[in-house]
């Protein structure tokens, strides 16, 4: 299993496009020369070697910064959303 410090400090050697740090059971971290890191899983399917990209390796703080705000102006409660919807649709509703 890759240690967290290994993952954080992983760098690609000069002269290579990518370098791989293997974990276990086919899981590995691929580090590119530009510093990007991504997790991949190598496995066999019907005798053929396959790879599945599991995603980029980014710190949790960066993911939180990248996450768009999902709250509405009313705080995002069901009641607030329902009232806002009703206010918009009231003109087109019939008794």
């Amino acid at each position: 299993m890759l240690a967290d410090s290994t993952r954080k400090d992983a760098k690609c050697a000069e002269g290579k496009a990518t370098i791989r740090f293997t974990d276990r059971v086919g899981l590995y971290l691929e580090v590119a020369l530009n510093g990007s890191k991504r997790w991949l899983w190598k496995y066999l399917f019907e005798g053929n070697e396959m790879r599945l990209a599991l995603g980029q390796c980014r710190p949790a703080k960066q993911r939180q910064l990248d996450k768009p705000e999902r709250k509405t102006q009313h705080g995002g409660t069901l009641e607030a959303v329902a009232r806002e919807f009703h206010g918009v649709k009231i003109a087109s509703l019939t008794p």
Side-chain angles (χ1 to χ4, degrees):
M1 182 181 276
L2 281 175
D4 194 42
S5 60
T6 304
R7 179 190 56 82
K8 287 180 183 176
D9 300 335
K11 294 192 184 335
C12 187
E14 289 293 325
K16 292 191 171 192
T18 59
I19 190 167
R20 293 179 183 163
F21 295 89
T22 59
D23 198 347
R24 57 168 92 156
V25 199
L27 183 66
Y28 64 92
L29 179 67
E30 186 176 81
V31 182
L33 190 57
N34 66 2
S36 67
K37 300 173 185 175
R38 63 183 186 155
W39 289 103
L40 291 110
W41 178 44
K42 183 169 67 171
Y43 62 98
L44 289 176
F45 180 72
E46 296 180 357
N48 297 319
E49 184 179 293
M50 307 292 281
R51 289 194 174 100
L52 177 66
L54 301 174
Q56 292 182 341
C57 180
R58 297 181 298 166
K61 288 182 182 178
Q62 184 63 40
R63 284 195 305 269
Q64 289 174 353
L65 292 174
D66 292 344
K67 185 189 295 187
E69 282 293 321
R70 295 183 180 164
K71 293 182 179 180
T72 64
Q73 58 188 188
H74 300 293
T77 65
L78 179 59
E79 179 184 1
V81 173
R83 288 185 182 278
E84 184 179 341
F85 176 78
H86 183 265
V88 170
K89 293 293 185 178
I90 190 78
S92 63
L93 297 175
T94 57

